Amino acid sequence: MAQAGIVSRICYKSKFFLRNSLRYRSTNSPKQKTASSVYRTMNIFDRKAKILQKERSAQLEDYHLYEYVKEEIGWRTADRIFDIKRTFKNAVELGASRGYVSRHFLPDSVEKVTLCDTSQTHLDKAIVGDGVKVEKYVMDEENIDFPENSIDLVVSSLSLHWVNDLPGCFDRVMKCLTPDGVFIACVFGGDTLMELRQSLQLAETERLGGVYPHVSPFTRIRDIGGLLNSAGFTLQTVDVDSITVYYPSAWHVMKDVRLAGEGNSALNRPLRLSKDTQFAAAAIYEEMYGKDFPEKDSRGVPATYQIINFVGWKPDPTQPQPRERGTGEVSLKDLHRIDEIIKHSDKIELKDEDMK
């Protein structure tokens, strides 16, 4: 009996130490940093409503009259890809719509591209550059599914601003990219349609005593940089561009935005906008931002589209690495003597005042 009790105590202590050691290992094991672990998912947009909006606009016979902003930004995004002196074997365009970026590809820059969009009608009408292999898939930007390390270029133009799980999207892009693969995209920024937003707010405040979100919220610049960093991208670049388009009136602004498939799809959006509020907003828009064009004998109102462009690379040992701290040989105080420094290849001795 005593021997059995000793054996049972030994077994119990062995299980205790084993359980504690496993717990110690699990708590001290390194965790991979992801954007989803830093930023929480925000359920802002009604994805079903947005898919319906895009499908309705895709079926319009005169849709090409309302895609001028997307066409312009698509060309600018493609031009950034051409600056990379490399031929991409396998590329993906997320939220491709009618292939606003891929239509500019050439075989010497991209050999094969996969177009992904939620609208089959848009994909059927998508255009791709001559000589470029193409595949088309109906795929939601929030649930992209590609094999790991299989894509060397992911591009998106004016599509990701409707994604709820933007951190998860960045993590999935990072996962599917090959080492030294690049993620190039652009989204609408916070100052987009600021004139329309302010006019609606003033009109509703005057008539209803409060405001409703008629223009969907947009991503901020600092959030894009934070997402790229949290997802693990290197050699990051974020810049902002702005396009101002003049319209005959505020009515034309609202019409073009809606028919382009960019209508409000926020979950807390109001069901309707009253007629008197619309007329008041149009009058305020005209009064605050209207501009005369004497050379054309006309008058118009501006609409601002702020574009946030960003680039991120998947880490790879072949990429340029920063020098270690303390390896600098020239003081920043000597920048005024930069011409002299360039002429002489020898080292310049730092003075005591430079070391302070």
Side-chain angles (χ1 to χ4, degrees):
M1 294 291 292
Q3 185 177 3
I6 294 173
V7 172
S8 63
R9 285 196 297 272
I10 292 174
C11 292
Y12 175 78
K13 289 182 179 180
S14 299
K15 292 180 180 179
F16 176 79
F17 285 117
L18 179 61
R19 184 170 60 251
N20 283 350
S21 62
L22 291 175
R23 183 183 304 172
Y24 178 79
R25 289 181 182 180
S26 62
T27 55
N28 288 272
S29 59
K31 296 182 179 180
Q32 184 178 3
K33 182 181 178 182
T34 61
S36 299
S37 64
V38 178
Y39 292 87
R40 63 185 180 90
T41 302
M42 302 180 68
N43 195 25
I44 299 176
F45 304 111
D46 186 346
R47 291 293 298 175
K48 292 182 179 180
K50 177 48 58 182
I51 292 174
L52 289 175
Q53 290 177 6
K54 293 182 66 175
E55 186 62 29
R56 290 195 193 102
S57 64
Q59 295 177 3
L60 294 175
E61 294 182 359
D62 58 346
Y63 177 77
H64 61 281
L65 299 177
Y66 311 105
E67 58 180 359
Y68 45 87
V69 174
K70 295 182 179 181
E71 286 183 336
E72 174 64 24
I73 302 304
W75 159 246
R76 297 188 184 188
T77 304
D79 190 50
R80 292 171 178 263
I81 298 174
F82 299 151
D83 290 336
I84 303 174
K85 304 306 179 184
R86 178 192 302 181
T87 300
F88 296 99
K89 305 293 184 181
N90 192 11
V92 169
E93 183 176 357
L94 294 179
S97 190
R98 301 198 179 188
Y100 297 112
V101 181
S102 301
R103 66 180 59 180
H104 303 290
F105 286 164
L106 297 174
D108 58 350
S109 60
V110 176
E111 293 184 357
K112 175 187 174 183
V113 61
T114 302
L115 305 184
C116 303
D117 197 83
T118 57
S119 171
Q120 182 64 57
T121 307
H122 271 316
L123 290 176
D124 293 339
K125 299 179 181 180
I127 304 173
V128 180
D130 295 336
V132 179
K133 300 177 182 178
V134 60
E135 293 183 359
K136 301 178 182 180
Y137 294 103
V138 176
M139 185 181 298
D140 194 338
E141 298 92 332
E142 289 192 345
N143 301 299
I144 59 176
D145 185 19
F146 292 101
E148 189 173 354
N149 299 325
S150 62
I151 310 295
D152 51 3
L153 168 65
V154 176
V155 61
S156 178
S157 178
L158 301 183
S159 174
L160 299 181
H161 55 280
W162 295 117
V163 173
N164 284 313
D165 187 13
L166 204 55
C169 179
F170 275 53
D171 289 336
R172 285 184 283 273
V173 169
M174 167 63 78
K175 184 178 180 180
C176 72
L177 280 174
T178 60
D180 202 32
V182 60
F183 179 32
I184 301 178
C186 62
V187 296
F188 283 121
D191 289 341
T192 299
L193 298 178
M194 63 177 182
E195 301 90 350
L196 179 61
R197 185 187 295 111
Q198 293 174 1
S199 300
L200 288 170
Q201 289 175 351
L202 291 173
E204 286 190 326
T205 301
E206 179 186 359
R207 279 158 173 72
L208 305 177
V211 297
Y212 294 92
H214 295 288
V215 179
S216 296
F218 296 104
T219 310
R220 294 176 296 182
I221 302 173
R222 62 182 181 183
D223 291 335
I224 294 296
L227 286 168
L228 288 172
N229 185 57
S230 301
F233 288 98
T234 60
L235 305 176
Q236 308 158 14
T237 303
V238 181
D239 63 88
V240 181
D241 200 358
S242 182
I243 295 179
T244 302
V245 181
Y246 278 85
Y247 297 84
S249 67
W251 301 102
H252 294 81
V253 178
M254 293 184 281
K255 176 186 176 182
D256 282 22
V257 170
R258 177 172 56 84
L259 296 181
E262 295 296 327
N264 187 8
S265 64
L267 290 171
N268 61 345
R269 67 190 184 279
L271 295 179
R272 62 186 60 87
L273 181 62
S274 61
K275 287 285 187 178
D276 59 336
T277 302
Q278 293 183 44
F279 278 101
I284 294 173
Y285 204 132
E286 169 70 24
E287 181 65 27
M288 293 181 61
Y289 302 105
K291 182 179 179 181
D292 291 318
F293 297 93
E295 66 279 5
K296 297 182 180 181
D297 192 23
S298 63
R299 182 176 174 84
V301 294
T304 301
Y305 298 92
Q306 185 187 51
I307 313 299
I308 302 177
N309 306 284
F310 55 94
V311 180
W313 295 77
K314 188 167 183 177
D316 187 74
T318 62
Q319 294 174 350
Q321 301 296 326
R323 298 288 297 274
E324 296 182 2
R325 295 191 63 179
T327 58
E329 298 177 352
V330 179
S331 173
L332 291 177
K333 296 181 181 180
D334 294 327
L335 286 179
H336 65 284
R337 297 191 295 117
I338 188 66
D339 294 335
E340 178 185 349
I341 296 173
I342 294 176
K343 290 179 180 178
H344 298 83
S345 59
D346 54 339
K347 298 181 179 179
I348 299 177
E349 184 178 357
L350 297 179
K351 301 179 181 179
D352 293 339
E353 60 180 14
D354 296 330
M355 304 298 292
K356 294 181 181 179

